[in-house]
Amino acid sequence: MLLAIDCGNTNTVFSIWDGTRFICTMRTSTHHARTADAYFTWFSTLLDHYGIEPDITEVIISSTVPRVVYNLRVFSDRFYNARPLVVGKPECRLPQDPRVDAGTLIGSDRLVNTAGAFDRHGGDLIVVDFGTATTFDVVDTDGAYIGGVIAPGVNLSLEALHMAAAALPHVDITQPEKVVGTNTVACMQSGVFWGYVGLVREICARIKTERDRKMKIVATGGLAPLFQQGEDLFDALEDDLTMHGLTVIHKFNKDSVSPHEP
């Protein structure tokens, strides 16, 4: 079985793929000081709790936090005798090489989302990922990542409002009943919610105009369903897009290795 690990700025997700489906998905906070032993204690405890006994033989990792990769490598090697495939490293091949400015470092999550979205929806895509940052990734006709847009994440914007203005409370994001708020919380929720609806619409519209072609908009990330409610912003919602992309890249690398290669 394959263990797919997606380490983001806020959370790290572990999913076990049995070749046809994910049999379980577990989430923990991202912490660069967490050791390989600590990962295993957390992971094995949850597996025992759910009564899962997977035969993990392979591991693939995507991480936007470079400092955690070493301990995840040790975790994979020590406890599963598996040398992990790490997206973004030279030994990890992509189905299509990205076409961006020379020397540009692309977040591994964006490459993984590109592979997953192309596998499910074909080319000419805009992938909107609501994470710590809100990213817009453009997928060309052949599945190559060709650039995108990075905006502050929704929760990051709310936290910035709370931290920078002493009189403003911390609030949760939700769709307000009215645009015009009649109290502080409602005003903040309206500003963030409708502000991001406008941001998504405008950026996607400008990408389509610049590309001068029809493009499908695919959304992922925890807040994607909230912004889709009644707004018809996206053509498709994918709650497991990153994990699916990891399985696509893993399969591509396995299929690319000839019988004579190690």
Side-chain angles (χ1 to χ4, degrees):
M1 291 184 182
L2 172 68
L3 174 60
I5 303 175
D6 172 38
C7 180
N9 291 297
T10 304
N11 293 311
T12 299
V13 181
F14 285 54
S15 287
I16 300 173
W17 174 255
D18 70 357
T20 58
R21 65 186 181 93
F22 289 109
I23 63 173
C24 71
T25 296
M26 305 172 187
R27 186 181 303 267
T28 185
S29 59
T30 298
H31 184 31
H32 72 269
R34 182 173 284 128
T35 64
D37 291 349
Y39 277 117
F40 182 72
T41 299
W42 165 78
F43 187 54
S44 60
T45 300
L46 283 179
L47 288 177
D48 289 342
H49 174 76
Y50 291 113
I52 300 171
E53 298 181 4
D55 180 20
I56 295 172
T57 57
E58 298 173 288
V59 180
I60 184 169
I61 299 169
S62 168
S63 177
T64 58
V65 186
R67 296 174 68 183
V68 307
V69 173
Y70 172 77
N71 284 324
L72 289 172
R73 282 181 179 272
V74 174
F75 160 81
S76 303
D77 182 61
R78 178 180 298 168
F79 297 105
Y80 296 103
N81 194 31
R83 180 182 179 183
L85 192 64
V86 180
V87 179
K89 299 297 183 182
E91 64 273 16
C92 181
R93 303 167 184 171
L94 298 173
Q96 288 288 348
D97 291 331
R99 293 193 288 270
V100 294
D101 295 343
T104 300
L105 295 177
I106 307 166
S108 60
D109 56 334
R110 307 181 80 177
L111 298 174
V112 171
N113 283 348
T114 294
F118 180 73
D119 183 69
R120 284 181 170 170
H121 300 283
D124 290 327
L125 306 175
I126 302 170
V127 181
V128 185
D129 187 354
F130 291 90
T132 303
T134 300
T135 57
F136 300 75
D137 300 320
V138 181
V139 184
D140 208 349
T141 305
D142 62 352
Y145 171 86
I146 57 172
V149 177
I150 301 175
V154 178
N155 287 316
L156 192 63
S157 296
L158 281 169
E159 190 65 26
L161 275 175
H162 171 61
M163 295 296 292
L168 296 180
H170 178 78
V171 299
D172 293 326
I173 181 64
T174 186
Q175 181 176 356
E177 295 181 2
K178 300 183 295 183
V179 175
V180 179
T182 54
N183 58 69
T184 302
V185 170
C187 289
M188 293 174 65
Q189 289 175 332
S190 183
V192 172
F193 181 85
W194 295 114
Y196 271 86
V197 168
L199 179 144
V200 170
R201 278 203 177 119
E202 183 68 12
I203 288 179
C204 289
R206 287 183 176 271
I207 290 173
K208 289 178 179 181
T209 299
E210 190 170 283
R211 297 281 295 156
D212 192 24
R213 65 187 67 186
K214 290 183 178 180
M215 302 187 73
K216 190 173 185 178
I217 303 172
V218 179
T220 190
L223 290 176
L226 172 66
F227 284 95
Q228 180 70 338
Q229 292 180 6
E231 290 305 309
D232 198 27
L233 290 176
F234 317 119
D235 298 301
L237 290 174
E238 299 282 1
D239 61 355
D240 65 343
L241 184 64
T242 303
M243 287 317 200
H244 177 67
L246 284 171
T247 68
V248 170
I249 292 174
H250 178 264
K251 183 178 185 302
F252 177 78
N253 279 265
K254 285 193 69 175
D255 293 346
S256 297
V257 176
S258 74
H260 302 290
E261 290 186 68

